[in-house]
Amino acid sequence: MIPDEVTMIDHDAFNGANIQSVSLPHHLQNIGYRAFKSNRLEHVEFKGDIPATLGVSIFCQNNLTTSTIQVLKGTLTTYQKAMGGIIFK
């Protein structure tokens, strides 16, 4: 788990870290490019009501087509716009 006081996740911070689940804190403002590349993510939870600024390919080489991405109620449209290529159901 990433502590709530974290506001930035650097480029490649968790690249190849074999992570299956991540909860991103409320105050997160920036996620660097490829921050979560090459993991085994099955669940991603965004706790903030406003999406962080997202770097390129933050979740590349993960199987997000079968993963759960959880956002706060009422923020779905905002996250869909911010994450462009990821389909939310």
Side-chain angles (χ1 to χ4, degrees):
M1 179 165 178
I2 298 170
D4 285 335
E5 55 274 353
V6 170
T7 60
M8 181 178 147
I9 297 174
D10 210 357
H11 308 303
D12 295 307
F14 298 98
N15 186 340
N18 206 28
I19 296 171
Q20 290 182 302
S21 179
V22 64
S23 181
L24 301 170
H26 178 77
H27 299 292
L28 188 62
Q29 297 173 3
N30 188 287
I31 302 174
Y33 60 87
R34 298 185 316 260
F36 294 96
K37 177 184 175 189
S38 300
N39 282 283
R40 299 181 308 141
L41 286 172
E42 296 173 2
H43 182 84
V44 178
E45 176 184 14
F46 288 92
K47 291 184 175 181
D49 53 356
I50 299 173
T53 301
L54 305 173
V56 175
S57 303
I58 60 171
F59 296 122
C60 70
Q61 296 180 5
N62 283 279
N63 189 12
L64 292 182
T65 57
T66 60
S67 298
T68 302
I69 298 177
Q70 180 178 340
V71 297
L72 294 175
K73 184 175 182 176
T75 64
L76 180 60
T77 301
T78 305
Y79 274 92
Q80 285 174 322
K81 288 178 184 176
M83 297 185 76
I86 296 178
I87 298 170
F88 290 75
K89 293 182 180 180

